[in-house]
Amino acid sequence: MGDFMLILNRGKVKTVLEYTKDQVFIRFEDDVTAFEGAKKESMKDKGSINCKISTIIFKRLGESGIKNHWIDTNGLATMRCHKLDIVPLEVVVRNKAAGSICRQTTIKKGTEFNEPLVEFHLKDDSKGDPLLTPDRMKLMGYDPYTFISITNKVNIELIRLFNLINLDLVDFKIEFGYDKNGELVLADEISPDSMRLWKAGTQESFDKDIFREDKGDLLAAYRTILKDLERLDYLPYLDSEKNKKE
């Protein structure tokens, strides 16, 4: 697979290529960026690591009943996915305070929220990805509560998954799109690039903050996460949780 395919979108760390009328390839690059691309570096194998982590997470979410665009993973750093009409929103979920919410408010880092805080941002770098209110979303033609319903289910599953590998899910970003049937499904990637993960009971980062704040070896942390998630592939924990609910 190469760039002879039609490039539909080239982002900071991923390239989307057309595969068929209804499917795309998402290729994870080895770049890592921060501060809207102001800080950038290339790290060998970073793309394949994030691709494998996203694959495991999308697969697990699908098994738990949360529809997403993943079909399968081709090669080391490429996912084959359903083509979606991407919604220009970033949905951010915060279980604990970190990052921008601490910079923009008086909330202290590490504050645990009684209920997850769900935020919506317009996906537009030129506008600074502004925070949207539910009323603004409605004026744009989107029902915020549909997004919140799916997002809360994703949060529950991700918390459960990362607890199993001794990590606290601090916050994460997800994106959505409409499939050919008009159904809202999970899109993009879910990896340590798009979330904050702390070693359980601490504030030791296992995410892109390592790169943002020059706190150590980013790839070593990502490799640890991948190794632990791959080990979980042998544990049918989701089926067990479903049986409990039934």
Side-chain angles (χ1 to χ4, degrees):
M1 185 191 70
D3 284 354
F4 62 88
M5 290 185 176
L6 177 63
I7 296 176
L8 300 177
N9 182 56
R10 193 189 297 274
K12 296 184 184 76
V13 296
K14 294 187 301 297
T15 303
V16 181
L17 304 107
E18 187 171 58
Y19 176 53
T20 67
K21 180 171 65 73
D22 297 320
Q23 296 180 11
V24 297
F25 282 128
I26 298 180
R27 186 176 66 205
F28 289 68
E29 311 295 349
D30 282 341
D31 296 330
V32 55
T33 67
F35 312 119
E36 299 300 332
K39 184 176 183 180
K40 182 176 180 179
E41 188 175 331
S42 182
M43 299 183 180
K44 188 177 184 298
D45 297 329
K46 184 257 186 182
S48 64
I49 292 170
N50 268 4
C51 181
K52 291 173 184 176
I53 291 173
S54 286
T55 294
I56 292 170
I57 291 175
F58 278 129
K59 181 181 175 184
R60 294 282 186 172
L61 291 176
E63 289 170 352
S64 70
I66 298 170
K67 292 187 177 180
N68 60 75
H69 67 162
W70 179 79
I71 299 172
D72 60 29
T73 295
N74 298 265
L76 294 176
T78 304
M79 298 191 310
R80 182 165 63 97
C81 301
H82 296 290
K83 185 185 291 186
L84 304 177
D85 181 12
I86 297 296
V87 177
L89 298 173
E90 294 182 346
V91 184
V92 176
V93 183
R94 301 183 187 276
N95 296 305
K96 296 183 180 182
S100 61
I101 195 169
C102 298
R103 295 192 301 271
Q104 297 168 357
T105 71
T106 59
I107 302 172
K108 293 182 179 180
K109 181 178 180 179
T111 300
E112 188 165 351
F113 302 120
N114 292 330
E115 294 185 2
L117 178 63
V118 180
E119 300 174 348
F120 299 96
H121 296 258
L122 179 66
K123 186 175 172 61
D124 189 332
D125 287 345
S126 69
K127 298 180 186 297
D129 299 332
L131 185 67
L132 298 173
T133 64
D135 285 339
R136 287 187 177 187
M137 283 187 64
K138 290 176 183 177
L139 289 172
M140 292 169 62
Y142 301 113
D143 177 7
Y145 303 105
T146 301
F147 290 87
I148 290 172
S149 175
I150 301 172
T151 297
N152 283 335
K153 293 175 184 176
V154 172
N155 191 36
I156 290 170
E157 294 300 331
L158 292 183
I159 288 173
R160 180 183 301 151
L161 176 63
F162 286 110
N163 279 348
L164 288 171
I165 60 172
N166 201 37
L167 292 174
D168 291 334
L169 180 62
V170 177
D171 59 35
F172 63 96
K173 173 191 74 72
I174 51 178
E175 297 183 25
F176 290 88
Y178 293 102
D179 65 14
K180 62 182 180 180
N181 298 316
E183 185 172 6
L184 189 67
V185 300
L186 203 55
D188 195 44
E189 68 171 308
I190 303 180
S191 77
D193 270 9
S194 58
M195 60 178 63
R196 282 188 176 87
L197 296 164
W198 291 347
K199 184 176 180 180
T202 76
Q203 292 187 10
E204 180 183 349
S205 296
F206 276 76
D207 55 70
K208 202 165 68 170
D209 275 354
I210 296 172
F211 174 71
R212 289 187 186 99
E213 302 170 16
D214 296 312
K215 295 194 294 189
D217 188 339
L218 180 75
L219 286 187
Y222 282 20
R223 286 191 179 101
T224 297
I225 293 170
L226 176 59
K227 180 180 178 181
D228 288 344
L229 288 177
E230 287 178 331
R231 175 176 52 83
L232 286 183
D233 266 349
Y234 298 99
L235 302 176
Y237 81 96
L238 283 172
D239 290 338
S240 298
E241 290 296 328
K242 286 180 181 178
N243 290 337
K244 289 179 186 177
K245 294 174 185 176
E246 292 171 357

